[in-house]
Amino acid sequence: MNTTAHPDTVLIIDFGSQVTQLIARRVREAGVYSEIVPFQLASDAFRRIAPRAVILSGSPASTIDIDSPRAPQEIFEAGIPVLGICYGQQTMCAQLGGKVESGHHREFGRAFLDVDEESALFEGVWPKGTRHQVWMSHGDRVTALPEGFRVVGTSTGAPFAAIADEKRRFYAVQFHPEVVHTPDGARLLANFVHNIADLEGNWTMAAYREQAIAAIRAQVGDGRVICALSGGVDSSVAAVLIHEAIGERLTCIFVDHGLLRKDEGEQVVQMYREHYNIPLVHVRAEERFLAALEGEADPEKKRKTIGRLFIEVFEEEAAKLAEAGKPADFLAQGTLYPDVIESVSFTGGPSVTIKSHHNVGGLPERMKMQLVEPLRELFKDEVRVLGRELGLPDHFIERHPFPGPGLAIRCPGPVSRDKLDILREADAIYLDEIRKAGLYNAIWQAFAVLLPVQTVGVMGDGRTYEFVCALRAVTSVDGMTADFYHYDMDFLGRAATRIINEVRGINRVVYDVTSKPPGTIEWE
């Protein structure tokens, strides 16, 4: 997965836990680069990456079952530190000669760990003889330790809740240190990567910038790149980074597909042509996209239709550049690490359908182009830090994320120009009220949705039969998990009143309080 060389990498082997991504985030927050690989590909990744340490994730599986996931045996023979978490502890013990059983006392949710012995994992955080809140999620438990291990922590349902083999630098815990419900968990993971694995913590955006530029130059050589510019933060940061690497051999292509927020197309063109010296091709393709989407209600088919048309547009623009003596050898796009994670079915689950508007699985062979994805290793918040490192203005960096398919998926059911115009106006008013209330930067993502439902209402002296508008706002750090924003009713009242009064076609507004827990398949 990684496009640049990271000599101090922590490899995270994913056994299917809903919170594996949080392990990667915590390790990176400690200043150390981490990479997730599914257990099926772990052997190849271990040899390719040559990590300095390995973390084994949790899993919904049971080590008791035949053919349950296992870690590559070579990681236990490589002389590097290994940390097992939950299922990771169980498979570590099972593979090294210990014993795991089911049917004992289960623990799900908040529990308390008693620290019975000193340990490098707990050093400076949890002293011997203290008790601490942790988050448990297990039915099976270790009942016999492999040779060389000792118990350092216990809980009501796990007599071996934390274990250590200092000689081999193997550590394991039954609880989940990566989640916020284990208050000091991030500090434990920092202990593992810094004190046990002896990694310095030099994963910074300044260092990444230099590495990424070198990697782009090595990949592209003397070739030319066209960048799929959406106008959002991700593709814009990718474009500025690539331009810094190869200069005028980059051409940005902005496809104005008619599915953007109000006035967004004009803003994108103005910003790039007035503030950045990057060649920009503005393709006005609204009619083409709307014609292809006419009558289509299935959201996945909408995504694939939009993705297909994007590819067609780029093929056409690439041909025009070739005719002008500037043939493009590479296509760049702002794919992020969550896109990669969610677009690869690590454990055979449904996540393979995620981000189908991104070409994370590659491009059609007929394009004869290679993908350049310089942000492929980064989480959303890391992209924003990189954007600041590159000099992009804060007001742009802090913009709320906008999906590749645009308003097409925020307008469930068939898409039409009239419905998109209604949605655009409602969305603009909603965001305007958020800014006026000083809430924009406190909210990770906010947007309006035009529901495929019409209701009877009374406005003034007449009856109406118009659409219902749903408002959504969530808080998040990395885009992997989210919770709804807790507005007060005064704000919701102001926003709803303006939308109903100013947008013809909407007579009712509702607020969506859906959250995105770890592992939820989709969040747009």
Side-chain angles (χ1 to χ4, degrees), residues 146-351:
E147 184 177 350
F149 281 86
R150 66 185 179 94
V151 179
V152 297
T154 59
S155 72
T156 301
F160 304 123
I163 59 176
D165 179 341
E166 283 88 355
K167 184 176 180 180
R168 289 183 288 182
R169 294 187 294 172
F170 292 168
Y171 296 81
V173 294
Q174 184 61 70
F175 59 90
H176 286 273
E178 68 273 29
V179 302
V180 296
H181 304 89
T182 300
D184 294 314
R187 296 174 66 191
L188 303 184
L189 290 171
N191 270 352
F192 176 71
V193 298
H194 292 315
N195 300 342
I196 296 170
D198 196 28
L199 302 179
E200 294 183 0
N202 53 9
W203 167 250
T204 65
M205 282 302 105
Y208 183 85
R209 174 183 180 178
E210 294 178 4
Q211 293 171 346
I213 288 172
I216 293 166
R217 288 171 177 164
Q219 180 185 5
V220 173
D222 294 329
R224 292 183 175 275
V225 180
I226 55 175
C227 179
L229 186 67
S230 69
V233 175
D234 305 336
S235 62
S236 297
V237 171
V240 174
L241 182 65
I242 294 169
H243 185 256
E244 188 167 311
I246 64 171
E248 295 301 307
R249 288 182 287 121
L250 168 69
T251 300
C252 289
I253 299 175
F254 171 50
V255 179
D256 194 344
H257 50 28
L259 304 170
L260 298 171
R261 291 172 286 208
K262 186 177 181 181
D263 300 328
E264 194 161 48
E266 293 78 4
Q267 292 167 4
V268 170
V269 173
Q270 181 181 25
M271 183 181 71
Y272 272 83
R273 288 186 174 161
E274 292 186 5
H275 298 284
Y276 296 100
N277 190 27
I278 302 176
L280 175 67
V281 176
H282 183 193
V283 183
R284 300 181 183 276
E286 179 180 9
E287 298 295 337
R288 183 171 177 177
F289 277 79
L290 291 183
L293 291 169
E294 186 176 1
E296 184 56 70
D298 183 89
E300 188 60 21
K301 289 181 180 178
K302 286 187 197 178
R303 292 173 181 274
K304 290 183 177 179
T305 297
I306 293 167
R308 172 180 57 80
L309 288 178
F310 264 110
I311 294 295
E312 290 178 4
V313 169
F314 281 109
E315 284 183 306
E316 294 165 7
E317 296 303 321
K320 293 177 184 177
L321 288 171
E323 291 173 3
K326 298 180 180 179
D329 311 289
F330 301 87
L331 172 62
Q333 58 184 25
T335 306
L336 304 189
Y337 199 38
D339 300 333
V340 176
I341 293 170
E342 293 183 343
S343 298
V344 177
S345 183
F346 281 4
T347 57
S351 61

Side-chain angles (χ1 to χ4, degrees), residues 447-479:
F447 54 87
V449 177
L450 192 69
L451 299 180
V453 175
Q454 289 179 280
T455 62
V456 175
V458 176
M459 298 178 70
D461 295 323
R463 289 189 179 276
T464 62
Y465 185 60
E466 297 176 324
F467 288 105
V468 176
C469 174
L471 304 181
R472 177 176 285 178
V474 297
T475 57
S476 181
V477 174
D478 48 34

Side-chain angles (χ1 to χ4, degrees), residues 315 318 328-331 363-371:
E315 284 183 306
D329 311 289
F330 301 87
L331 172 62
L363 293 170
E365 290 185 8
R366 68 177 187 272
M367 286 196 72
K368 302 187 187 310
M369 299 176 73
Q370 296 181 47
L371 275 175

